[in-house]
């Protein structure tokens, strides 16, 4: 449950309370891309860029 909205003069406290509530049930995750995923990214960017250029030249 979120804290009540901030009242003039206490926005910092409100933000800290929100952060504390949000971070109270943290489940950190790690994602390690495979070599294939890492190598595919530049190809996707190049393909998308070529499509953008082709669409803009019409």
């Amino acid at each position: 449950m979120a804290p009540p909205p901030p009242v003039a003069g206490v926005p910092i406290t409100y933000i800290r309370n929100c952060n504390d509530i949000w971070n109270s049930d943290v489940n950190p995750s790690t994602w390690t891309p495979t070599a294939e995923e890492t190598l595919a990214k530049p190809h996707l960017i190049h393909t998308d860029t070529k499509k953008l250029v082709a669409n803009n030249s019409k």
Side-chain angles (χ1 to χ4, degrees), residues 10-38:
V10 290
I12 301 286
T13 304
Y14 174 77
I15 292 169
R16 286 187 178 141
N17 288 341
C18 287
N19 286 341
D20 291 342
I21 290 168
W22 181 264
N23 292 327
S24 64
D25 189 25
V26 168
N27 292 321
S29 62
T30 44
W31 173 69
T32 307
T34 63
E36 292 80 20
E37 290 171 320
T38 303

Side-chain angles (χ1 to χ4, degrees), residues 22-56:
W22 181 264
N23 292 327
S24 64
D25 189 25
V26 168
N27 292 321
S29 62
T30 44
W31 173 69
T32 307
T34 63
E36 292 80 20
E37 290 171 320
T38 303
L39 294 173
K41 184 99 179 185
H43 175 71
L44 290 173
I45 293 170
H46 178 69
T47 304
D48 290 345
T49 304
K50 284 177 62 177
K51 287 180 188 176
L52 285 170
V53 170
N55 286 337
N56 285 330

